[in-house]
Amino acid sequence: MNEIERAAESLRTGGVVAFPTETVYGLGADARNEDAVRRVFAIKGRPTEHPLIVHLAWAAQSGEWAAEIPETARRLMQRFWPGPLTLVLPARIDVPRAVTGGQDSVALRVPNHPMALALLRAFGGGLAAPSANRFGAVSPTEAQHVRAALGDSVDHVLDGGPCSYGLESTIVSLLDGCPQVLRPGALPLADLRDALDEDGIKLADLTASAPRVPGALAAHYAPATPLEVHSIETLATRAEVLLAQGLRVAVLRRNRDLHGTPTLPLVPQFLLPAEPEAYARGLYARLHELDHLAFDRLLVEAPPVDEAWWAVNDRLARSARGSWSKGGLRGSN
Ligand code: TXA
Ligand code: MG
């Protein structure tokens, strides 16, 4: 038996398997097995009313989970699956409510990663899989992040190397008339809008109130190191203030020419690419790495306020709030 077959066999008997996807690593269990799903919640420390995404090998399996698949959903599946788009649809009555957090809707996605697809095909059914991190913490983009956070509580960790997007999927609800973005993510909004435009369909107003989604909790995706987001102009002053308090400060900024901005004091600087996709790919890995270095404070240069940066800005804002709501205590989540 190879590794994938062993993992699939474990899933069939109620096991929990961490596996790579193109977005982040997932923590999968048989979505039809309520005990296995409950184990996923327990391992993550996640409140049980927060629904999980059901991962499928093929779009054709959607009908086993969704009570109804509107034409718009079919088109989006055709266009973007396999890929980093999650669709929220009305759930069939037989979908375990442990998976949907008690809601009458279900989130579906066909991931675009060879190992995830091999596992899904070998298993044959739907895998309920949240990101493979402790609840509220930064998502894993490498197998070692999963091992460090969840260790022996997981039956298998499949290692597929670093994730190619590094940021969670974009979630779109098709429960009401207009498709509505519930979570910005790896699929750029512009691509989604273009695809919908071709069919004369509009996205719901992005500021419209979204259904209850835990990813929408203000504090989420938080590193252990207290994190602040500042413009490059105010970063230097802020660093000086913190240094004067005797704190160990690090700066995380975009790799570009800082000509014309105030000179930063002598603190360790870490760089991420200047472009949004590459920045997103490296962000979580950097945050994991910086947590190991145990700085007292991480000052992050605010990316541009621009739609292409929406998902990154969203995660940074939540990380900042999350790191503070934990009182800046390392490993407290
Ligand atoms: O990229 C991703 O989406 C990754 C990989 C592993 O696929 N998964 C992921 O799962 O990010 P998780 O559990 O960390 O986030 C799933 C999000 C949550 O915010 C959850 O509330 C939302 O999906 N969700 C799931 N079912 C839903 C539903 N029925 N209605 C609204 N939101 C739902
Ligand atoms: Mg998550």
Side-chain angles (χ1 to χ4, degrees):
M1 240 197 268
N2 69 24
E3 204 189 359
I4 297 281
E5 283 161 2
R6 266 201 306 277
E9 187 52 35
S10 161
L11 289 167
R12 271 180 223 112
T13 53
V16 173
V17 173
F19 63 97
T21 81
E22 77 281 36
T23 58
V24 299
Y25 274 71
L27 188 63
D30 179 354
R32 298 274 180 202
N33 179 335
E34 300 217 20
D35 287 338
V37 171
R38 271 193 283 273
R39 256 190 85 200
V40 169
F41 281 98
I43 291 170
K44 267 187 76 83
R46 171 159 165 153
T48 52
E49 73 273 19
H50 291 193
L52 306 181
I53 298 171
V54 177
H55 295 66
L56 305 170
W58 302 279
Q61 293 169 302
S62 302
E64 296 166 24
W65 303 89
E68 191 190 320
I69 305 176
E71 189 51 31
T72 311
R74 283 186 200 285
R75 289 184 180 256
L76 292 176
M77 289 173 184
Q78 225 163 40
R79 176 77 172 249
F80 296 114
W81 283 3
L85 173 69
T86 296
L87 297 176
V88 175
L89 296 163
R92 276 172 53 143
I93 197 98
D94 58 352
V95 175
R97 281 347 191 217
V99 172
T100 69
Q103 303 199 44
D104 294 332
S105 57
V106 64
L108 301 177
R109 159 166 134 79
V110 177
N112 190 12
H113 188 289
M115 212 176 230
L117 288 171
L119 178 68
L120 285 162
R121 286 186 195 123
F123 174 63
L127 283 185
S131 50
N133 51 282
R134 300 272 307 154
F135 180 65
V138 177
S139 299
T141 57
E142 294 173 23
Q144 55 152 338
H145 301 154
V146 181
R147 291 193 200 100
L150 306 179
D152 295 339
S153 51
V154 178
D155 299 311
H156 286 267
V157 180
L158 295 177
D159 189 344
C163 301
S164 55
Y165 285 95
L167 203 69
E168 297 83 355
S169 62
T170 301
I171 304 181
V172 174
S173 166
L174 293 160
L175 296 179
D176 305 314
C178 290
Q180 188 182 8
V181 177
L182 302 185
R183 176 177 75 182
L187 181 75
L189 211 55
D191 294 8
L192 185 63
R193 205 180 275 117
D194 284 352
L196 292 169
D197 268 357
E198 282 175 22
D199 297 323
I201 298 160
K202 290 266 164 288
L203 260 186
D205 180 0
L206 296 176
T207 57
S209 68
R212 219 162 32 101
V213 185
L217 288 176
H220 220 74
Y221 310 103
T225 312
L227 179 160
E228 299 176 21
V229 183
H230 293 282
S231 72
I232 196 73
E233 287 75 22
T234 55
L235 210 73
T237 339
R238 185 63 186 149
E240 297 282 10
V241 169
L242 295 170
L243 285 174
Q245 293 171 11
L247 296 181
R248 294 182 63 235
V249 178
V251 164
L252 179 60
R253 64 175 183 84
R254 289 164 62 219
N255 189 5
R256 63 202 173 97
D257 188 1
L258 290 185
H259 187 70
T261 56
T263 314
L264 287 168
L266 281 178
V267 297
Q269 290 190 31
F270 298 86
L271 298 177
L272 281 170
E275 298 311 314
E277 291 80 16
Y279 186 105
R281 190 176 306 129
L283 175 62
Y284 288 165
R286 264 277 189 255
L287 293 179
H288 282 290
E289 181 190 323
L290 281 161
D291 272 348
H292 286 299
L293 299 176
F295 287 99
D296 297 315
R297 199 65 51 85
L298 177 62
L299 301 182
V300 181
E301 176 198 356
V305 181
D306 175 320
E307 191 179 284
W309 287 90
W310 189 31
V312 164
N313 281 321
D314 171 81
R315 301 304 191 277
L316 282 177
R318 292 175 205 287
S319 296
R321 273 184 239 125
S323 66
W324 286 100
S325 68
K326 284 191 286 190
L329 288 176
R330 257 161 237 296
S332 65
N333 55 71

